[in-house]
Amino acid sequence: MQTALSRLVTDPSAFRAAWPSVPTVYDRDAADLQLLATRQAAREILANPDIRPYSFGMVRSGVLTAERASADHPTDTLVCNGLHQSYPPIVAFCKELAAQLGHPITGNLYLTPAGEARGFGWHWDCHHVFLAQTEGAKLWQLFRPTFVDPLEHRHHNWSKIGFDPEDKVRFETTDPDYEFNLTAGQVLFIPRGWVHAGRTSDRHSLHITFGVQLLTEHWALTKMLEAGGESVELRGALPPDLAGSDFEALAEHLRSTLVKWLLGQPAEELVMRVRSAQRMSIYHGTPQ
């Protein structure tokens, strides 16, 4: 039976066994992916306030322009963010994919005109992404991460960290680690952190980005530590002369206290806390 994941990858069982560590292309069905979004669907999304997303606009080379949002603009890229919350076909798809993977899924649409157009420059994402090409074609160039395993909401966004001048030169003057000319019916999986940029040639491009908003080990540990608020051992105040404290000794004390508390927690309670947070994350579409 066809599922959301099988519409994106060739072997769902193998995919669920481990995240691909490098960018990977899957040949899928163009007609099937077009059930999720087409240029005509983009026109309808913009025209109908009931399915129009919370965030949409036009960009050119990474810069938001003042152009009126259009699915037929000759130079700028139409971006529709948050379709997992507003456009029924993508809402349903993202919910099913999230249920299969166990991680929240978001859905954005990018429609770029023909003619060497580029919506965004070099960047990385803090989450895994599936780029599902539904119409036209786009050339993607990818470089290995310059910042490994960035986390959402931890100032790990590429725009916060940036690139070294040498990296910027390298991206523009050397061959990429991977290059794919993605055509309708193909899906490109990009692991988080991989630096990438895409551009069109003689055809327009429409793709949907399904973002896997990763629930990480850091996230799981954070959920476990939230239980510490119920512990008398972890509610003690730090010393009044904190400015003059021996912070090395304080850090060792806190580490010892934390390990003692954590080892004393029933495993089933910690599992229930993480499991509950995971379910809430799936429901809301973002890590909770």
Side-chain angles (χ1 to χ4, degrees):
M1 182 180 69
Q2 189 180 52
T3 66
L5 185 58
S6 70
R7 295 170 71 181
L8 298 179
V9 304
T10 52
D11 188 341
S13 296
F15 186 91
R16 283 197 298 267
W19 297 113
S21 60
V22 297
T24 305
V25 171
Y26 303 95
D27 292 318
R28 309 312 295 141
D29 184 352
D32 175 64
L33 294 179
Q34 287 168 4
L35 296 176
L36 297 173
T38 60
R39 186 196 289 269
Q40 180 56 32
R43 296 186 184 108
E44 294 169 358
I45 289 168
L46 292 177
N48 187 343
D50 291 333
I51 58 176
R52 193 182 303 146
Y54 66 87
S55 173
F56 62 94
M58 307 298 291
V59 297
R60 185 189 314 153
S61 298
V63 178
L64 184 68
T65 71
E67 296 293 323
R68 180 175 179 272
S70 168
D72 301 283
H73 198 280
T75 61
D76 294 4
T77 292
L78 169 67
V79 179
C80 293
N81 292 322
L83 292 177
H84 60 285
Q85 296 177 327
S86 66
Y87 184 53
I90 294 181
V91 171
F93 186 90
C94 289
K95 285 183 178 179
E96 182 181 350
L97 186 60
Q100 288 183 269
L101 294 179
H103 297 258
I105 305 293
T106 55
N108 303 332
L109 179 150
Y110 300 86
L111 177 55
T112 303
E116 298 289 330
R118 174 174 285 183
F120 294 93
W122 297 107
H123 67 284
W124 71 70
D125 294 303
C126 296
H127 48 269
H128 296 334
V129 296
F130 294 96
L131 304 185
Q133 191 78 24
T134 71
E135 291 183 353
K138 183 174 267 191
L139 177 69
W140 290 96
Q141 295 178 313
L142 304 102
F143 287 89
R144 295 185 183 280
T146 58
F147 186 91
V148 177
D149 288 346
L151 294 174
E152 299 277 7
H153 312 303
R154 294 287 296 179
H155 307 294
H156 290 175
N157 187 280
W158 71 273
S159 62
K160 300 289 186 181
I161 295 175
F163 296 110
D164 292 335
E166 297 80 4
D167 286 326
K168 293 180 179 179
V169 172
R170 180 166 59 91
F171 298 155
E172 296 297 336
T173 61
T174 65
D175 292 336
D177 293 309
Y178 288 86
E179 182 173 277
F180 304 105
N181 186 37
L182 213 63
T183 58
Q186 292 185 308
V187 177
L188 170 60
F189 177 83
I190 305 178
R192 62 174 164 155
W194 278 74
V195 180
H196 57 281
R199 68 175 184 271
T200 58
S201 56
D202 59 343
R203 287 184 285 174
H204 80 281
S205 167
L206 191 152
H207 78 266
I208 311 164
T209 292
F210 295 108
V212 184
Q213 308 298 318
L214 291 165
L215 303 181
T216 63
E217 293 181 6
H218 176 271
W219 170 86
L221 288 171
T222 299
K223 296 298 111 180
M224 290 182 180
L225 290 176
E226 287 178 358
E230 306 305 318
S231 167
V232 173
E233 296 92 328
L234 297 185
R235 295 208 303 266
L238 295 176
D241 186 23
L242 190 58
S245 293
D246 179 348
F247 275 86
E248 289 187 7
L250 179 60
E252 183 59 34
H253 165 72
L254 291 174
R255 183 171 67 172
S256 175
T257 301
L258 179 59
V259 170
K260 181 180 178 181
W261 170 80
L262 191 59
L263 292 177
Q265 298 305 298
E268 58 271 18
E269 290 187 13
L270 297 178
V271 169
M272 287 179 59
R273 178 172 288 271
V274 173
R275 181 59 172 159
S276 175
Q278 185 256 355
R279 288 171 173 163
M280 289 295 292
S281 297
I282 295 298
Y283 176 77
H284 288 285
T286 57
Q288 298 295 304

